[in-house]
């Protein structure tokens, strides 16, 4: 005779252990105690009282899910993370391009100078008096422009500094 433990019978016949213990107390099924002191039940008693061999339907939990299914989930997560990393990379590349453009613009502003005397064309003597007045006015305008340019350089420099360090 092939006797089973109460736990094995409960699993094999899809019956709770407490229900088996109640049936034992009522005497509807009998148990035998083996050499180790463990109660064992004859499966024919279980069939007689509880019906045929009913295998318990188990829903696999996370630890019992097949490794292939877990691998697929990991692959999907990694694909999503890769997609997000690529989006971040594109964003950072665009930011770097913008910063480089701003930096180049700033270098151009720094490179602007007042025109040197060699760049100014030579004048004829009769136009000198009129042009001297114009030169004075132009010099004043250049000084005003220089102060505006200096302010623009400072403002642009602050903006670039904020982009890099702010």
């Amino acid at each position: 005779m092939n006797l089973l433990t109460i736990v094995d019978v409960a699993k094999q016949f899809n019956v709770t252990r407490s229900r088996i213990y109640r049936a034992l107390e009522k005497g509807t099924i009998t148990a035998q105690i083996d050499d180790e002191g463990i109660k064992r039940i004859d499966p024919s008693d279980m069939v007689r009282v509880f019906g045929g061999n009913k295998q318990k339907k188990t829903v696999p939990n996370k630890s019992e899910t097949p490794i292939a299914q877990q691998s697929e989930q990991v692959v999907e997560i990694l694909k999503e993370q890769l997609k997000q990393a690529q989006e971040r990379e594109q964003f950072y590349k665009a930011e770097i391009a913008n910063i480089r453009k701003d930096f180049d613009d700033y270098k151009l502003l720094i490179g602007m100078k007042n025109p040197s005397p060699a760049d100014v064309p030579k004048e004829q003597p009769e136009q000198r008096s009129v042009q001297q007045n114009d030169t004075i006015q132009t010099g004043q305008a250049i000084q005003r422009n220089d102060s505006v340019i200096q302010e623009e350089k400072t403002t642009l420099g602050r903006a670039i500094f904020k982009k890099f360090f702010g």
Side-chain angles (χ1 to χ4, degrees):
M1 221 171 8
N2 194 12
L3 300 177
L4 301 173
T5 64
I6 293 175
V7 173
D8 292 336
V9 170
K11 286 180 182 177
Q12 189 171 358
F13 289 89
N14 194 22
V15 177
T16 62
R17 288 182 297 168
S18 60
R19 192 168 171 203
I20 293 171
Y21 284 116
R22 281 194 301 261
L24 286 170
E25 287 175 10
K26 289 181 183 176
T28 53
I29 58 173
T30 56
Q32 298 176 9
I33 299 177
D34 66 2
D35 297 337
E36 298 169 2
I38 298 173
K39 289 184 181 180
R40 297 201 176 254
I41 300 174
D42 187 359
S44 61
D45 280 349
M46 292 297 294
V47 171
R48 180 179 49 80
V49 174
F50 296 107
N53 189 2
K54 305 174 191 173
Q55 282 295 326
K56 191 175 189 178
K57 295 181 182 178
T58 58
V59 177
N61 60 19
K62 284 189 176 183
S63 64
E64 295 174 350
T65 56
I67 294 175
Q69 187 177 5
Q70 289 178 348
S71 296
E72 288 175 14
Q73 291 172 347
V74 169
V75 168
E76 290 301 317
I77 291 169
L78 290 174
K79 282 181 181 179
E80 182 63 30
Q81 289 176 347
L82 177 63
K83 181 182 172 187
Q84 291 172 354
Q86 289 170 337
E87 289 172 358
R88 277 193 308 269
E89 180 183 13
Q90 291 301 319
F91 172 77
Y92 290 137
K93 282 182 179 180
E95 283 296 306
I96 289 171
N98 288 337
I99 291 170
R100 281 185 180 154
K101 183 185 177 303
D102 290 345
F103 186 71
D104 290 341
D105 291 345
Y106 184 67
K107 285 191 327 188
L108 285 175
L109 282 175
I110 290 173
M112 293 181 143
K113 298 179 192 175
N114 292 339
S116 65
D119 296 338
V120 178
K122 297 204 175 195
E123 319 154 349
Q124 296 179 2
E126 60 269 357
Q127 294 178 346
R128 237 181 232 168
S129 62
V130 173
Q131 287 185 351
Q132 281 178 350
N133 191 19
D134 287 344
T135 304
I136 293 170
Q137 290 175 352
T138 304
Q140 292 170 348
I142 288 173
Q143 287 175 346
R144 284 193 302 269
N145 285 341
D146 284 346
S147 65
V148 169
I149 289 171
Q150 187 61 35
E151 288 177 28
E152 288 176 352
K153 286 181 185 178
T154 304
T155 305
L156 184 58
R158 287 182 183 145
I160 290 173
F161 182 80
K162 283 182 182 178
K163 277 198 171 196
F164 278 109
F165 303 104

